[in-house]
Structure formats: C-alpha cells, structure tokens
Amino acid sequence: MIIITYTLSLLLLIYGLFAFKSEKRQQLESRVNAVLHVNKETMSQDEEKQSFSNRIIQPVWKRLKKNYQKNVSEEQIAAIELKLLQAGSPFGLTPVEYRFIQLALFLLLPGLVVVWALFGRLNTGVFLLFLLGSIVIARYLPMILIKKKIAERNNQALKELPDFLDLVTVSIEAGLGFDSALSKVVAKKEGVLSNEFQRCLEEMRLGKTRREALNGVRNRLVLDDVRALIGSIIQAEQLGIGMVQIMRVQSSEIRERRKQRAEEAAMKAPIKMLFPLILFIFPCIFIVLLGPAVIRFLGAF
C-alpha cells in the first residue's frame, strides 16, 4: 500500500510539473500571439492611413533610383554631386535624381514637339528645327540652371566674406579659439558662409581633421578669396602663426580686392552703356532733331 501511494504521488508530481510547463508555454504563446496580432492590426491601420504616395509611389521611386544608380559610374556621380553641393543642393536633389530629371526632359520635350507636329501639321523643316531645339534645351537646361545657382551663391558668399571675417577676428581677439569663434559667429549670423562653416564644424565633430573640413568648404565655394583664406588658415595651423594676425591680413586684402572689383565694374560701365546708346537712344535723337528738317526738305521738292 505504501509503495502504491508513493508511486501515485510521484506520478502526480511528474504530471503536475508537465502540466505547469505546458500551461506556462500556452500562456506565453497566447501573449505573444496577442501582441503580434495587435502589431499586425496597427501596421495595417497605419498603412491604410498613409497616403497613396507613401504606400505606392515612394517605394517604386526608391527602387527605380537604386536600379538606375547601378548603371551610372562613380566618377559621374561624384562630379554631379560636387556640382550640386556647389549650388547649395537645390531642392535637396541627389545625383541620381538630377540624372532622372535630365532623362525626363529628354523624353518630355521632344515628345511635346512630336505631338505638336501631329496635331499642328508642321512642315518637315520646322519640325526638325523644333525637335533639335528641344533636344538641345533638354541637354543643357539643367546644367545652365545649376551654373546660375552656383554663380548666385558665390556672389552672395563674396558679399558676406569681409563682415564674416571681421566677426571671427573679433571673437578670436576676445579670447575664443578658432573653432569656438566660428561656432559663435555661425550661430549668430545667417547666410551662405554660415551654412558652409556650420557644415565644416559638424564634419570636424564627426571625426574629420580641420584641414579636410576646410578643404571641403574650399571645394564647395568656387571663389579665389575663399581659397586664399582657407589656404592661409591651413598654413597658419601648420606653422603655428597667430590666427588673429592671419585673419586681419586676409580681411584687409579681401576688402582691397572688393574695392578693386568695384573700380573695375565702374570703368566697364561706360563701355557697356555705349551699345544701348548707339542702338536705341541715338536713333531717337536723330529722328527728333533731323526729322522736321527732312520733312521740310522733302516738302520743298
């Protein structure tokens, strides 16, 4: 009897352990399934709330960019990226998106000309002329816009440079280091130079050396004054020259070069005014002065 009781107790204990483990496993699985079910419902609800662009267009666009990027060489991407950086990254364009825009123009503009020729009944010569013009525009229009943006950005940076240098020089004279002075001026002043040097400071925080970060600014701003300034800063860092002295010399030289550019533009103004005078103003003056005499002369005969 004792042996039977002991055996039953042992069997019940083993059964209880297995039942406890099974129940615990079932509870865990039910909780996991409940969480996964809630996540699936939440994800489906979030997908339903998203717009058509986020659900369909953007994934397809990313896939197209990824596939197109494989067919473009790294040298072309690097060259286009440098141009876009010099232009200030207009509209946040990437090199692949820039190439897509060129390709879209190549397809769109000649297509419009073909449609116009079909419905407008253009002559063959006119059609070929417009078709050639559309291809030329599609080829060079993005490049021209980028170059115009680069020129505008460089001119703006050239206007900001003397005042920016003065503020940095004053900050260094007040006891700040070069990086701290740049950070202080960038935080208080807006413009092209502030954005570029802000990016320079961020690159330095991410691990780049000061020389590499400053060379990045020199590559993004195609200006002789900026190149001379950054070259002087790098040279002063290598030779241990005082930064205040370098900044003062560069500021005076930049102001002198700006004065020379203004004098050069003033000397070019009379020559530029000569062509409108000859083409538009002088004929009007001749008509007013000689017109009555010519009318009387013709009336006499």
Side-chain angles (χ1 to χ4, degrees):
M1 188 66 183
I2 295 174
I3 296 174
I4 295 172
T5 305
Y6 177 76
T7 304
L8 290 174
S9 301
L10 184 60
L11 291 174
L12 288 173
L13 179 62
I14 294 172
Y15 175 76
L17 290 174
F18 278 104
F20 177 75
K21 288 184 178 180
S22 177
E23 185 178 358
K24 189 174 181 180
R25 189 181 299 109
Q26 289 178 358
Q27 290 179 356
L28 182 61
E29 290 178 355
S30 63
R31 292 177 63 187
V32 170
N33 291 330
V35 172
L36 291 177
H37 183 66
V38 171
N39 288 336
K40 289 180 180 178
E41 289 183 352
T42 305
M43 290 175 62
S44 62
Q45 290 176 359
D46 291 340
E47 290 179 354
E48 291 178 357
K49 290 180 181 178
Q50 289 180 353
S51 63
F52 177 78
S53 174
N54 294 331
R55 288 186 289 111
I56 305 297
I57 297 178
Q58 289 186 2
V60 173
W61 175 247
K62 290 180 180 178
R63 197 177 301 113
L64 285 174
K65 287 197 299 183
K66 187 176 181 180
N67 294 331
Y68 186 76
Q69 191 172 1
K70 296 178 182 178
N71 300 324
V72 182
S73 63
E74 295 182 358
E75 291 80 8
Q76 291 178 346
I77 291 178
I80 295 173
E81 186 176 6
L82 180 60
K83 289 293 183 183
L84 292 175
L85 288 175
Q86 290 174 353
S89 299
F91 307 106
L93 287 177
T94 62
V96 178
E97 291 174 349
Y98 176 79
R99 296 286 297 198
F100 263 117
I101 291 174
Q102 283 186 325
L103 182 61
L105 287 176
F106 267 114
L107 296 176
L108 181 62
L109 294 182
L112 291 175
V113 173
V114 171
V115 172
W116 185 24
L118 291 176
F119 291 97
R121 297 180 181 179
L122 295 177
N123 296 329
T124 304
V126 178
F127 168 71
L128 293 177
L129 181 63
F130 276 98
L131 184 63
L132 180 62
S134 64
I135 293 174
V136 172
I137 291 173
R139 174 66 178 84
Y140 292 103
L141 181 61
M143 189 185 304
I144 292 172
L145 294 178
I146 290 296
K147 287 184 178 180
K148 183 180 179 181
K149 189 68 176 178
I150 292 172
E152 292 177 355
R153 194 164 178 267
N154 289 335
N155 291 332
Q156 184 64 29
L158 194 60
K159 292 178 182 178
E160 298 173 358
L161 188 56
D163 297 333
F164 187 87
L165 280 182
D166 290 341
L167 292 175
V168 174
T169 305
V170 170
S171 300
I172 294 174
E173 289 177 345
L176 296 176
F178 179 72
D179 297 342
S180 301
L182 272 182
S183 179
K184 184 67 68 176
V185 174
V186 163
K188 300 295 183 181
K189 190 175 177 60
E190 296 181 356
V192 176
L193 285 176
S194 298
N195 295 333
E196 287 297 330
F197 281 103
Q198 177 67 34
R199 180 167 182 166
C200 172
L201 293 173
E202 291 176 356
E203 290 177 351
M204 291 168 61
R205 294 190 189 101
L206 292 175
K208 282 189 176 182
T209 61
R210 182 185 292 176
R211 182 173 185 174
E212 292 174 348
L214 289 174
N215 283 330
V217 176
R218 181 162 54 184
N219 293 331
R220 291 190 295 271
L221 290 177
V222 191
L223 290 172
D224 293 336
D225 292 345
V226 174
R227 291 178 178 177
L229 171 65
I230 293 176
S232 300
I233 293 172
I234 294 173
Q235 187 177 6
E237 183 182 7
Q238 292 175 346
L239 300 178
I241 304 174
M243 196 64 70
V244 176
Q245 182 180 359
I246 293 295
M247 301 299 284
R248 283 178 178 173
V249 171
Q250 288 296 319
S251 179
S252 61
E253 288 182 357
I254 288 172
R255 291 184 184 278
E256 184 65 25
R257 283 195 289 268
R258 186 169 72 172
K259 180 181 177 181
Q260 292 175 358
R261 284 193 297 269
E263 292 176 352
E264 182 182 359
M267 293 176 66
K268 290 180 179 178
I271 299 174
K272 292 180 179 180
M273 292 173 61
L274 183 62
F275 297 100
L277 283 172
I278 294 174
L279 294 176
F280 302 107
I281 297 178
F282 284 171
C284 298
I285 294 175
F286 291 152
I287 291 172
V288 172
L289 295 179
L290 300 179
V294 171
I295 293 173
R296 289 182 181 180
F297 182 76
L298 292 176
F301 289 94

